[in-house]
Amino acid sequence: MLVHSDIRSRRKAEHLEAVKQLGDTGGSSWFEDISLLSNCAPELAWEDVALETHLCGIRLPSPILINAMTGGTEEAYEINKKLAAAARRHGLAMAVGSETAGLSNDRWARTYTVVREENPEGVVIANVGMNTDPDVAKRAVQLIGAQLLQVHWNVAQELFMPEGDRNFHGALVRLHQTVQSVGVPVIAKEVGQGIASEQAERFVAAGVSAIDVGGRGGTNFIAVEAWRRNHLLSDQWQQWGLPTPVTLCEVLGAVGGKIDVVASGGIRNGHDIAKSISLGASAVGIAGPFLRLLSQPEGEKALDAYIEELHWTLHALLVMTGSKNWHALRQRPIVIGGRVREWLSIRGLDKWVRRLGRRGQP
């Protein structure tokens, strides 16, 4: 008979396989509705540009963070080891997957601690679920010597998971308690369905230091859970949630300037990263592509090439918008149209959108 920790480990292994096979779901990312303003006379040199940013007061050499993926299986050990090595080489922050498996079974703790072992000086982010007891959250931080903690909110996934939670009472109270006791800045994170402005305000009231929007457009955990059950998912469920540019604008429009915001959910290229930061994000999380690249022959080389291409594109876009750094880019105009503009208009964010389009030019 399988014990609970073994069931959890098997589920995590199935999640990894699903992410590899399914790829991104949910259709268009909607980032095509957002445009940076080109500057044909930037008065800048390539070496003038810097990619560093800050998240919750911590300096990051790159705005790209390896977002939460895995832990708690034998395969996860090798994945996290290779991801942590890439994070060290390229100056990326890295979040681990939910640490419940490592905290409940010593056998799996090494699949998380390998991240700190491989990248002893890097920025590492712990991860627990939304109903986690604050004392357990503190242990998750201590397990990997994390500088930050993600608390992930995954109601849709839990409901589609046969063994998932069905009672979400008290989660915000526990979040507040965790913020008060854990000893590091806390990030509230969605996992693929996005965060609306109303919930962003509640997270801020609970005391979080940052929000990771986790919008629709990348890995869809509704689809992942359906895959585990061999269930054909309807188009309506494939499209459930807030597309990443929409949830990013919702959150920034509501709480931007009060806390840091991380953009994530189907962000796959440097253009979408730059657009996200121009809107106001402090950093950008990517997960699925890193995992799929590592599964290829010579996956570590492919992963390095992908990250290098992202950094080159970001550098070039800063030059081509006349921006020495991300702060300067946020002073440049950005234009929002199409479906994103229509959504934000319905939601009462017209004034905020117009200000973005009229920001001072170089």
Side-chain angles (χ1 to χ4, degrees):
M1 179 184 234
L2 288 173
V3 299
H4 189 64
S5 61
D6 291 330
I7 294 172
R8 183 184 294 114
S9 178
R10 184 175 66 183
R11 181 172 72 234
K12 287 178 175 291
E14 290 170 351
H15 286 168
L16 286 173
E17 188 61 29
V19 172
K20 292 176 188 176
Q21 291 197 25
L22 290 174
D24 295 335
T25 57
S28 163
S29 71
W30 291 26
F31 270 106
E32 60 267 29
D33 292 343
I34 298 175
S35 299
L36 298 170
L37 200 66
S38 176
N39 181 346
C40 66
E43 290 293 323
L44 278 180
W46 183 268
E47 59 269 20
D48 293 335
V49 167
L51 297 185
E52 72 174 39
T53 189
H54 289 81
L55 178 63
C56 302
I58 299 172
R59 177 188 172 275
L60 304 179
S62 166
I64 302 166
L65 68 87
I66 299 173
N67 225 341
M69 274 183 269
T70 192
T73 71
E74 292 297 342
E75 183 185 9
Y77 176 85
E78 290 299 328
I79 291 170
N80 278 341
K81 182 178 181 180
K82 292 174 181 178
L83 289 172
R88 186 189 68 245
R89 290 193 296 272
H90 298 283
L92 311 185
M94 177 178 170
V96 299
S98 177
E99 290 176 73
T100 305
L103 296 172
S104 59
N105 188 330
D106 290 341
R107 175 186 178 188
W108 303 124
R110 61 192 277 273
T111 67
Y112 301 93
T113 57
V114 66
V115 172
R116 178 54 75 196
E117 293 163 3
E118 195 69 26
N119 191 11
E121 304 301 323
V123 176
V124 177
I125 306 171
N127 184 301
V128 297
M130 56 189 170
N131 272 319
T132 301
D133 184 87
D135 289 338
V136 176
K138 187 180 295 186
R139 288 172 53 211
V141 171
Q142 294 168 346
L143 180 67
I144 59 174
Q147 294 98 324
L148 299 165
L149 170 69
Q150 287 179 342
V151 177
H152 65 261
W153 297 73
N154 62 332
V155 170
Q157 180 189 10
E158 294 289 347
L159 293 179
F160 272 79
M161 188 189 306
E163 66 274 37
D165 290 339
R166 298 294 183 268
N167 185 345
F168 308 106
H169 287 301
L172 285 167
V173 172
R174 289 197 177 189
L175 175 64
H176 178 69
Q177 293 169 342
T178 296
V179 168
Q180 295 296 310
S181 64
V182 77
V184 298
V186 174
I187 304 168
K189 171 183 169 49
E190 237 286 355
V191 303
Q193 274 65 55
I195 296 171
S197 59
E198 293 86 353
Q199 286 72 58
E201 290 170 348
R202 299 189 76 178
F203 289 145
V204 170
V208 302
S209 297
I211 289 174
D212 182 336
V213 300
R216 189 189 83 212
T219 301
N220 183 341
F221 276 95
I222 294 178
V224 167
E225 296 302 337
W227 180 91
R228 289 181 62 218
R229 296 157 52 194
N230 197 28
H231 174 70
L232 182 63
L233 197 64
S234 70
D235 289 342
Q236 290 87 350
W237 285 123
Q238 292 278 9
Q239 298 297 322
W240 178 257
L242 285 71
T244 296
V246 164
T247 182
L248 182 59
C249 291
E250 287 245 359
V251 172
L252 287 165
V255 300
K258 297 179 182 179
I259 61 168
D260 288 334
V261 177
V262 177
S264 68
I267 295 173
R268 301 296 181 249
N269 58 68
H271 289 267
D272 293 348
I273 294 172
K275 291 174 183 180
S276 298
I277 298 176
S278 179
L279 287 168
S282 297
V284 172
I286 299 174
F290 294 152
L291 176 62
R292 290 188 283 273
L293 285 168
L294 282 180
S295 69
Q296 298 177 3
E298 299 190 348
E300 288 178 272
K301 290 183 179 179
L303 180 58
D304 282 340
Y306 177 56
I307 296 170
E308 288 164 6
E309 172 63 22
L310 292 176
H311 281 159
W312 188 93
T313 299
L314 294 176
H315 208 116
L317 287 171
L318 283 174
V319 173
M320 290 189 290
T321 57
S323 310
K324 286 186 177 182
N325 50 43
W326 301 120
H327 174 74
L329 181 66
R330 295 188 193 102
Q331 312 311 308
R332 310 296 188 236
I334 186 168
V335 178
I336 301 177
R339 293 161 299 179
V340 176
R341 179 62 179 268
E342 181 181 5
W343 180 301
L344 298 177
S345 179
I346 292 170
R347 293 281 286 160
L349 287 167
D350 284 311
K351 290 183 179 179
W352 183 78
V353 171
R354 286 195 295 271
R355 284 198 301 271
L356 294 178
R358 294 172 181 170
R359 295 187 298 202
Q361 299 184 50

